[in-house]
Amino acid sequence: MNTHSSVPPSFLPHLVLASTSIYRRQLLERLGLPFETSSPQLDETRLPDEAPEHLAKRLALAKARDVSRSRPDDLVIGSDQVAALGAEIFGKPGSIENAVAQLQRMSGQEVLFHTAVALIDGRNGREQCENVLTRVRFRLLSEPEIRRYLEREPSLDCAGSAKCEGLGIALLDALSGDDPTALIGLPLIALARMLRAAGVELP
């Protein structure tokens, strides 16, 4: 378990991020709060006919609940992201060829990124969960262009195979949403609202 701290923890409940994602860790560090990371253990298989928004929220809560069981006095954050084109869902590609196939499928299309965040307060059992929607419109992409991108930024650990915070922004025509951090993987506006509701003082 790793600890990340930038302010004294004396006035704060313990905060745990139920994720080992470097992207979520870096985002949470922006809030300037001390926190630890812990890896949740759960089956992330989609249920039959499960809507993308429901899947994202279910998994965000499941991750937080899994870690909260062993951290009953702490505040635990869980998050999950689902990229969807209609009923089709794109997970982490895991290989270059899968990433090529994903980006070819999304070429010229509007893809909906559902990023859910959950907060469980182990002190009283209160659960909060929100889904933040980001609409992403991809340009028409040729296969050589896709492969050039993936050579420079493989993005094999990102749902949808494109990092909007990096070179992946060049693959897009437009994006819109209420929180720019949601597309990276952790909606900080929603999370800050939840933390304040749980009594955490934020700058």
Side-chain angles (χ1 to χ4, degrees), residues 113-131:
F113 284 77
H114 299 271
T115 310
V117 60
L119 181 68
I120 294 179
D121 189 339
R123 300 168 299 177
N124 54 30
R126 182 184 182 191
E127 296 183 345
Q128 301 180 68
C129 188
E130 293 187 34
N131 178 66

Side-chain angles (χ1 to χ4, degrees), residues 133-151:
L133 176 65
T134 307
R135 297 179 181 273
V136 178
R137 189 167 71 247
F138 284 80
R139 297 188 297 104
L140 287 172
L141 304 170
S142 67
E143 182 173 341
E145 186 175 21
I146 290 171
R147 290 189 180 276
R148 285 198 305 272
Y149 164 68
L150 293 171
E151 285 175 3

Side-chain angles (χ1 to χ4, degrees), residues 20 110 138 144:
T20 55
E110 182 179 79
F138 284 80

Side-chain angles (χ1 to χ4, degrees), residues 3-122:
T3 302
H4 311 272
S5 178
S6 56
V7 296
S10 57
F11 67 101
L12 296 168
H14 287 99
L15 190 63
V16 182
L17 175 63
S19 173
T20 55
S21 163
I22 187 173
Y23 310 114
R24 292 191 176 111
R25 176 176 60 77
Q26 290 172 343
L27 285 168
L28 186 54
E29 286 173 348
R30 294 191 195 181
L31 297 184
L33 300 171
F35 68 93
E36 299 175 6
T37 59
S38 182
S39 178
Q41 304 298 319
L42 70 149
D43 182 359
E44 299 187 26
T45 303
R46 182 186 186 187
L47 300 176
D49 300 320
E50 186 173 24
E53 178 181 358
H54 183 272
L55 174 61
K57 292 178 73 174
R58 178 175 64 81
L59 291 180
L61 269 171
K63 291 174 182 179
R65 286 168 178 164
D66 182 73
V67 171
S68 185
R69 291 187 188 100
S70 60
R71 306 293 299 259
D73 298 320
D74 299 338
L75 288 172
V76 181
I77 300 165
S79 188
D80 193 78
Q81 185 177 79
V82 175
L85 179 57
E88 186 177 0
I89 284 180
F90 302 97
K92 298 174 183 178
S95 72
I96 291 293
E97 291 309 312
N98 286 342
V100 170
Q102 282 191 354
L103 289 172
Q104 287 178 321
R105 181 71 182 90
M106 294 186 290
S107 173
Q109 303 290 328
E110 182 179 79
V111 180
L112 303 183
F113 284 77
H114 299 271
T115 310
V117 60
L119 181 68
I120 294 179
D121 189 339

